[in-house]
Amino acid sequence: MIRWIILLGILGLLSLVISVSIGREVSFTDALSVLWYHTTFSYGSPPDPISDRIVWSLRLPRALLAIIVGGGLGIIGVAMQTLVRNPLAEPYILGISSGATAGASLFYLGFLPPLISKGLSMPIASFIGGLCAIAIVYSVAGSRGRISVTRLLLAGVAVASLMGALTSFITLSSPEPDKLRSVLFWLLGSFHLAQWSSLMWPAIAVTIGLIILMILSRPLDGMLTGDESAHSLGVAVESVKRILIVLASFVTGSIVAASGAIGFVGLIVPHAVRSFTGVTHRKVLPASFIGGAIFLLWADMLARSILPDAQLPVGIVTALCGVPFFLILLHRKQHSFG
C-alpha cells in the first residue's frame, strides 16, 4: 500500500508540473525554472518576469486549488458512501452544493439587502447558503436522537431541488444580465479566479477533514457492516453519523465557496482507488485524496485545452466523465440485486 501511495504522490507532482506548463507563452522548462527558483528560496538565476508571473501568480494557485478541491471531494465521497452504505453516493447528496450556489447567486446578483451584503463576499455567502441547506436536511433526518439514512437522502434530494429552483429563479429575474455569464461559469465549477489568498480557507477545511476521517478510520470500517454489527463492535454509530454530516457540510461548503460546484469527483475516485487498496479506510482515504487531486488537475487541463480560444468550466468536463461512470455503476448495482 505504501508503494501505491508513493506512486500516486509522484504522479501527482508530475501532474502539477504539467498543469502549470500547459498553455501559451510558457514552456515546460520555463515552468520548471520558475518552480525551482521559488521552491529553493531564490537559488539560482531569476526566471523571465513574464514566465514568473504566469506560472507563479496565475497557474500555480489554480493548480493548487484543483488539488485541494479534488482531494477534498475524494475523501468526502468516501465518507458519504460509508454513511449511507451506497456506492452511488457523493459529497453533494445532502443538498450542500445547491444551498451554496443559491447563497452565492443571491449575493452576486444583488438580491440581498445592502445592509447584509455589505459585510459578505461571494465565498462567504456561498458557505452560509450551504449551512442553511444542511440545517434543514439535518432537522428533517434526525428523530429521537437517531439519524435516519433514508430520511437524510430524501431530505437532501428535496432541499437540493428547492435550492436549485431558487437559483434558477434568481438568475432568470436578475436585474444585472451582464453578470449571468460569470455566475453560470462559477456555478458549473471553475478555478479561473484562483489566487494565493483564496487557497488558505479550503486548504484548512480539507486538512481538518482528512485528519478527522483518518482518526475515525476504524469506526468507519465497522459501519460498512451495518449499524447493528457496528454497535456490536463498540462503534458509537449515531455520533459518527453526526460527525460525518457536520464534516461533509464544512468541507463541501468550503470547497463550493472557493470553486463552485464540481460534480462526480467524489463518486468516481473512491471506486477507482478501492480497486487496488481494498475497502479499509486507513488506505482508501489517503489514496482518494491523492487520486481526487490528480483527477481534477487533469480535468482542469482538459477544460483549458478543449477550446482553442476559451476555457470550459471544469464541472462540464467532470460531468462528461462522471455521467457514463454513474450509469455503468447503476447498471451493475441493478444486476447485483437482480
Side-chain angles (χ1 to χ4, degrees), residues 11-34:
L11 180 58
L13 287 174
L14 181 60
S15 300
L16 174 64
V17 175
I18 294 172
S19 176
V20 299
S21 63
I22 282 183
R24 300 174 181 174
E25 299 177 2
V26 177
S27 67
F28 186 78
T29 54
D30 289 336
L32 282 178
S33 174
V34 172

Side-chain angles (χ1 to χ4, degrees), residues 228-268:
E228 296 301 325
S229 298
H231 275 299
S232 68
L233 294 172
V235 177
V237 174
E238 297 304 318
S239 297
V240 174
K241 285 181 180 178
R242 290 187 180 90
I243 292 172
L244 292 180
I245 291 171
V246 173
L247 197 62
S249 306
F250 174 59
V251 175
T252 307
S254 301
I255 287 172
V256 174
S259 65
I262 301 172
F264 294 100
V265 179
L267 173 67
I268 296 173

Side-chain angles (χ1 to χ4, degrees), residues 16 60-76 191 194-208 210 251-252 254-256 258-259 262 265 288-290 292-294 296-297:
L16 174 64
L60 187 58
R62 178 175 183 144
L64 291 176
L65 184 58
I67 289 173
I68 294 166
V69 172
L73 291 175
I75 61 173
I76 297 302
F191 304 126
Q195 301 175 354
W196 285 106
S197 59
S198 64
L199 300 180
M200 184 179 70
W201 178 246
I204 291 173
V206 171
T207 301
I208 291 172
L210 179 59
V251 175
T252 307
S254 301
I255 287 172
V256 174
S259 65
I262 301 172
V265 179
S288 293
F289 177 86
I290 301 173
I294 294 171
L296 211 47
L297 270 174

Side-chain angles (χ1 to χ4, degrees), residues 100-184:
T101 54
S105 300
L106 281 169
F107 169 79
Y108 191 69
L109 295 176
F111 281 83
L112 294 176
L115 186 62
I116 297 176
S117 62
K118 186 177 181 180
L120 295 179
S121 64
M122 190 158 75
I124 294 175
S126 172
F127 186 69
I128 293 173
L131 289 181
C132 291
I134 194 58
I136 298 171
V137 172
Y138 186 83
S139 65
V140 173
S143 176
R144 298 178 182 178
R146 297 176 65 88
I147 298 172
S148 167
V149 171
T150 302
R151 284 200 300 270
L152 189 74
L153 292 173
L154 293 175
V157 171
V159 170
S161 299
L162 174 64
M163 295 298 177
L166 177 61
T167 302
S168 298
F169 174 78
I170 293 167
T171 53
L172 290 173
S173 307
S174 172
E176 301 183 64
D178 293 341
K179 290 185 176 182
L180 289 181
R181 178 177 172 81
S182 298
V183 170
L184 180 62

